Amino acid sequence: MSTIQFIVSGPMLPTWDRRTQLSRDLIRFLATSSSESPLLRALGVACFKYWPLISQILQPVHSNAQVSELTIPAYPLNPAVLEATGLWAHKLTSIAQASQQMRMEAEHIASTDSKHIILYLHGGSYTSGTARQYRNMHLRLAQATGVQVLGFSYRLAPQAPYPTQLYDAYCAYQYVRDLGFSDDHIIFAGDSAGGNLALALWQLLRAPIRALVLLSPRVDVTSTRDSWKRNAQVDVLRPYTLDSSHSTIRQLLAPKGLSQQTYQLLSNPFIAPIHADLTQLPPILVQVGTAEVMLDDIVEFAAQAQMQSSSMVELQQYENMFHVFQAGLPGTRHFKEAWERIGAFIRSL
């Protein structure tokens, strides 16, 4: 690992300290759960399985917030939301019909603001992650914003291909509405693939929610912009590809085999929100590190949002930081600043 290189010859980037280097290496290692190496996949799966315990040791959150575990039931699809889904309408309908007995695990983090709620959609390339594994992110979000948080465990690929995750997110949203929250009191937030899912859920609903908070969101899957080459050695992600059966984007879209339609899906706005109609976008905060492979994708998305939407679009770039550094070890460079600015954005609404 490059942490050893840090001890021998210094950090990968001159502005990194040891904790920042270790955070990058830890996140990159967890990303190997989709690797073609059986050993790395097994280690990655084991880390994810025991992540609640590991994170309590490596990423302690000092919070007295009440955490409540709960389950979210299936909800019938509102026919009105299917009109804008195009080719996903039939699949969403079939998934909803087959999911009537579904119960999703979720957790609620209480906070001082009882009038608003953040619906958090976790990352993990759509192939890994649970609400429990992201509890520290939920706690930090509640702590930084003073707003209660609901996180949930959507079904994962390849066992559950897309758009199963979108239907599950729809059910979580309906659950929040059943708790009594109106759209203008609901905030969608997510990291990486969870940011992608947050944008897909907003496209599905076109609801006037209060805001979107996106940490290193996946907004394109072509891996063609220059930052994918420029930052490849530093960041934690690998290029998206359909060539390997272990590719997370292939597991999401075509776990049973490729077709011509699979390649066409790469530019679908639900998969790649950079191609979406953003004219009704709510206020949005986007955080990204300048050492990310997705940097140019995200900067282009933010530019599109600013051109199309009349709402506030705040893009925050953090120098020499990697993918979802906000999930790194406390003390990581820019860690405190990023969380404080998330809180400031929410309070400014």
Side-chain angles (χ1 to χ4, degrees), residues 28-152:
R28 183 161 179 141
F29 173 73
L30 291 175
T32 61
S33 60
S34 60
S35 167
E36 294 192 17
S37 165
L39 176 60
L40 290 179
R41 284 205 308 277
L43 287 172
V45 169
C47 282
F48 271 112
K49 180 178 180 180
Y50 296 105
W51 186 246
L53 176 61
I54 296 171
S55 64
Q56 288 177 18
I57 299 171
L58 297 180
Q59 302 171 305
V61 181
H62 303 291
S63 172
N64 295 321
Q66 180 181 351
V67 179
S68 303
E69 297 183 353
L70 49 94
T71 58
I72 296 175
Y75 283 82
L77 276 171
N78 182 342
V81 304
L82 295 174
E83 295 178 3
T85 60
L87 59 86
W88 301 116
H90 176 71
K91 289 187 176 181
L92 281 168
T93 301
S94 298
I95 291 167
Q97 291 173 348
S99 302
Q100 295 180 21
Q101 304 304 315
M102 178 195 73
R103 294 292 184 272
M104 274 192 301
E105 293 183 356
E107 66 175 32
H108 174 263
I109 311 296
S111 195
T112 54
D113 183 349
S114 60
K115 296 181 180 179
H116 301 88
I117 190 167
I118 298 173
L119 180 62
Y120 194 82
L121 301 96
H122 70 75
S125 300
Y126 284 107
T127 61
S128 60
T130 66
R132 281 202 65 201
Q133 289 166 351
Y134 273 74
R135 179 171 295 175
N136 274 5
M137 292 288 279
H138 302 157
L139 287 169
R140 291 194 194 284
L141 193 54
Q143 194 174 66
T145 63
V147 177
Q148 58 191 308
V149 177
L150 181 76
F152 63 100

Side-chain angles (χ1 to χ4, degrees), residues 17 51 56 65 92 113 163 201 203 212 241 252 290 300 305 313:
D17 57 17
W51 186 246
Q56 288 177 18
L92 281 168
D113 183 349
L201 179 59
Q203 290 181 72
L212 280 159
T241 177
L252 179 68
T290 63
E300 174 63 23
V313 178

Side-chain angles (χ1 to χ4, degrees), residues 117-121 141 183 186-191 194-203 205-215 217 273 277-278 280-287 301 305 309 311-315 342 345-346 349:
I117 190 167
I118 298 173
L119 180 62
Y120 194 82
L121 301 96
L141 193 54
D183 285 330
I186 299 172
I187 299 161
F188 293 169
D191 66 281
N196 178 281
L197 186 54
L199 285 166
L201 179 59
W202 172 76
Q203 290 181 72
L205 300 168
R206 295 286 169 174
I209 60 171
R210 190 167 186 82
L212 280 159
V213 176
L214 308 177
L215 313 181
D277 175 2
L278 303 174
Q280 297 174 306
L281 199 69
I284 179 173
L285 169 65
V286 183
Q287 292 187 341
F301 169 81
S309 174
S311 297
M312 173 175 58
V313 178
E314 185 171 341
L315 173 65
I342 292 171
F345 173 80
I346 296 298
L349 299 173

Side-chain angles (χ1 to χ4, degrees), residues 262-276:
T262 308
Y263 292 91
Q264 296 171 355
L265 292 177
L266 298 182
S267 59
N268 183 275
F270 284 86
I271 302 300
I274 200 166
H275 302 296

Side-chain angles (χ1 to χ4, degrees), residues 4-19:
I4 299 175
Q5 296 177 4
F6 180 99
I7 298 172
V8 176
S9 57
M12 294 183 71
L13 294 177
T15 57
W16 286 7
D17 57 17
R18 185 175 302 175
R19 189 173 290 268

